[in-house]
Amino acid sequence: MSAYTARATRDEGWWVVEVDEVPGLFTQARRLDQIPDMVRDALALFPEVEGDPDAATIDVIPCGKEAQQARLAFDLHEQATKDMETATRVMASTAQTLSQEGISYRDIGSLLGISFQHAHKLATA
């Protein structure tokens, strides 16, 4: 099984695709999820390059300003998710510590900026 890198750039409503490993192989698709099949179809025209296009692995790499903007949004979302997980762990640990020190759930809630019910849930988890 062979692997190919398909670089896709947006142009007039289409994804224009170049395949790194096969100079001169170009194709296009309306959607990113269509690119692997389009590349396999194009590879079928070059049996000397790829004997079994249906088994080829196609790695689609979106390029251009749209892809960069989407990547930035994705990366920020991933970081926010990690930060939220960290904050949740710290909140729970803090609620448990404060509860063990005899502080009421209402006061824990006030200190952490959450409801006393949520403070109770975190402290007893």
Side-chain angles (χ1 to χ4, degrees):
M1 178 168 39
S2 301
Y4 297 90
T5 303
R7 297 193 186 277
T9 306
R10 208 61 189 148
D11 187 24
E12 296 183 18
W14 290 84
W15 289 99
V16 178
V17 181
E18 290 183 65
V19 178
D20 290 357
E21 294 78 10
V22 186
L25 191 150
F26 297 92
T27 189
Q28 61 185 15
R30 286 280 186 194
R31 297 188 328 257
L32 288 170
D33 65 342
Q34 295 172 330
I35 292 174
D37 288 337
M38 297 304 289
V39 170
R40 287 185 189 98
D41 288 347
L43 285 169
L45 301 173
F46 298 93
E48 68 280 3
V49 173
E50 178 57 57
D52 187 9
D54 292 333
T57 301
I58 313 299
D59 183 25
V60 177
I61 300 177
C63 301
K65 65 180 181 179
E66 300 87 356
Q68 290 173 344
Q69 184 177 1
R71 187 70 211 180
L72 174 62
F74 179 86
D75 290 345
L76 289 171
H77 182 265
E78 286 288 305
Q79 186 59 50
T81 299
K82 290 176 185 173
D83 290 346
M84 185 58 132
E85 291 168 354
T86 300
T88 299
R89 282 193 303 276
V90 170
M91 291 279 283
S93 174
T94 302
Q96 291 166 5
T97 300
L98 294 174
S99 177
Q100 291 167 356
E101 292 176 6
I103 298 175
S104 72
Y105 297 130
R106 287 197 185 275
D107 286 346
I108 294 170
S110 293
L111 289 168
L112 297 178
I114 58 178
S115 69
F116 75 90
Q117 295 96 334
H118 193 191
H120 176 265
K121 182 178 177 181
L122 290 174
T124 59

